[in-house]
Every structure is written in structure tokens, then in C-alpha cells.
Amino acid sequence: MKRLNFSIPIHAPKEKVWRTLLDDSTYRAWTSVFGEGSHVEGDWSEGSKMLFLGDTGTGISSRIARHLPNEYLSIEHLGLVKNGVEDFDSEETKSWSGALENYILRENDGITTLDIELDTAESHEHYFLNTWPKALQKVKELAEA
């Protein structure tokens, strides 16, 4: 696996950026760049199961590894979801299971820096290098509105 890092300054308090990241309506808006109908099932609490899904019921099964409100969120990706069925055992899944997606927020003088640390299989690197900057731009637009 490879670790990718992304960062964007946002002219908004970290509490507003945090809400933009996690509230259902804004989450759906900024994650739409990854796929139409992107949404999440779960409550974001530490240790809880989360399903990150698209329109077709396909997505990723994960758990919240760490949750420090307004500062840090770590999501551990564990399996695939296909047609509503979770897969933790296929070779495809095992090749990236345990990958982390971390969100780090730091505020200084009214500007919040949002950093993303993402573990990914090399086969997905190009996709994320193209898509994450668009997603972060959308977070910025929503949080600064």
C-alpha cells in the first residue's frame, strides 16, 4: 500500500469544516466527486461500523478507528460491499484491508488546514490523485459559504 497526502487551507473555523465533512447533506455534496449518490450509513462514533456507499449499494465497509471531534478522524477500511453484501475475504479485499483514511484539522488565525492521509493500493493511486483535490475544493467551497 502507498500513503497519499492532500492538504487545503479553508477560510472557516475548524468546527464548521468538521460539520461540512460529516453532516449528511454536505457529506453527500463533497463526496459526489467520488461517485453520484455517495452517502454513509453509520454514526461516526469511535469504534462504530460505517458503510460508505453509492447509488447501487456498492461501496466500502469500515470502522471509525479514532474520533476526536473538530481535530482528527481515522477510518479503517475493512471490506467491500457489493449489492448490499459485505466481502472481507476475497483476494481483492485482502490486498487493501486495514487501509486508513485520516482527516486532520488545524486552525490558525481563522484559517483551517485540512490534511488527508490516505492508504491506497497502487492500482487506485492515479484515481485518488485526480479525485481528492476536487473533493477538497468542494469541502472548501461548502465550508466557506
Side-chain angles (χ1 to χ4, degrees), residues 114-127:
L114 171 58
D115 293 313
I116 306 294
E117 301 172 341
L118 175 72
D119 295 332
T120 187
E122 287 191 33
S123 60
H124 292 95
E125 180 180 2
H126 180 74
Y127 170 76

Side-chain angles (χ1 to χ4, degrees), residues 20-46:
T20 301
L21 289 168
L22 303 186
D23 284 357
D24 183 61
S25 63
T26 49
Y27 176 87
R28 288 174 185 260
W30 74 264
T31 59
S32 67
V33 301
F34 295 104
E36 284 304 314
S38 288
H39 63 283
V40 64
E41 294 178 9
D43 67 8
W44 297 108
S45 63
E46 194 165 312

